[in-house]
Amino acid sequence: DLVPAMLRVLHIGGGIFWVGSTLLFFAFVEPTAATLGADGQRFVHHLVRRRIVHWTVAAATLTVATGIPLYWRASGGLQPAWMTSPTGLALTAAGVLGITTWLLGLFAIAPATLRLDAVEARIAETKAPDRDELMRSERLASRLRVLGFLDLAMLVIVVIAMASARSLG
């Protein structure tokens, strides 16, 4: 079956990019940029301008969009006997958490990242940044750190559940 095989390749490939870019950004790039100050912010600004946020959201969307028909097929059209099996429960939980994580990225993390980038760009353009802009930047950065950690933790759980689901029985 070529279509399910292609869906799996797209699902796994999109997931690799989604999880990899999230891990790289929130575990390495963001903390390094915060430590480096203005130089770090210029680097992050360049990443955002290179559309890393859009690429990550696209990969997440591809992963979810291909996961739904794969789940439908694996579950035999949502058969309760399969869905309540250990494999079915693991894949169901992973799917629900994956979709939740995608929504978090789409509606909270991506917009906050783009807002923070815009605020940081305004701050970088002025010799004496406005106190309100600096506070807005700090609040957004703090919020993003929390959301990023949550997003990353959820993705790790999704990956573990999906990777181990078939071996559960």
Side-chain angles (χ1 to χ4, degrees), residues 36-109:
L36 294 176
D39 288 337
Q41 292 309 321
R42 279 195 295 277
F43 177 76
V44 171
H45 178 69
H46 182 71
L47 276 177
V48 171
R49 292 295 176 240
R50 299 276 309 187
R51 304 180 61 82
I52 188 66
V53 173
H54 298 92
W55 281 102
T56 303
V57 168
T61 302
L62 176 68
T63 305
V64 170
T66 55
I68 291 168
L70 287 170
Y71 181 85
W72 178 268
R73 181 177 168 90
S75 70
L78 305 179
Q79 293 297 311
W82 180 88
M83 293 174 68
T84 57
S85 71
T87 297
L89 289 171
L91 288 176
T92 300
V96 169
L97 189 57
I99 290 169
T100 303
T101 307
W102 169 64
L103 292 171
L104 177 67
L106 186 64
F107 293 113
I109 294 172

Side-chain angles (χ1 to χ4, degrees), residues 2-21:
L2 185 58
V3 172
M6 289 304 299
L7 285 174
R8 281 181 57 85
V9 167
L10 292 171
H11 182 72
I12 293 168
I16 288 169
F17 186 90
W18 178 16
V19 175
S21 62

Side-chain angles (χ1 to χ4, degrees), residues 41 111-121 136-137 140-141 144:
Q41 292 309 321
T113 302
L114 297 174
R115 278 196 307 277
L116 178 60
D117 182 63
V119 169
E120 289 291 336
R136 185 175 299 118
S137 172
L140 279 168
L144 261 174

Side-chain angles (χ1 to χ4, degrees), residues 115-155:
R115 278 196 307 277
L116 178 60
D117 182 63
V119 169
E120 289 291 336
R122 286 194 301 273
I123 290 171
E125 290 173 358
T126 62
K127 296 237 185 250
D130 180 59
R131 179 172 151 73
D132 289 339
E133 285 283 272
L134 291 171
M135 289 176 57
R136 185 175 299 118
S137 172
E138 287 177 28
R139 279 193 311 270
L140 279 168
S142 177
R143 180 173 182 233
L144 261 174
R145 274 191 283 287
V146 170
L147 289 173
F149 177 77
L150 177 63
D151 191 67
L152 196 51
M154 290 166 53
L155 284 173

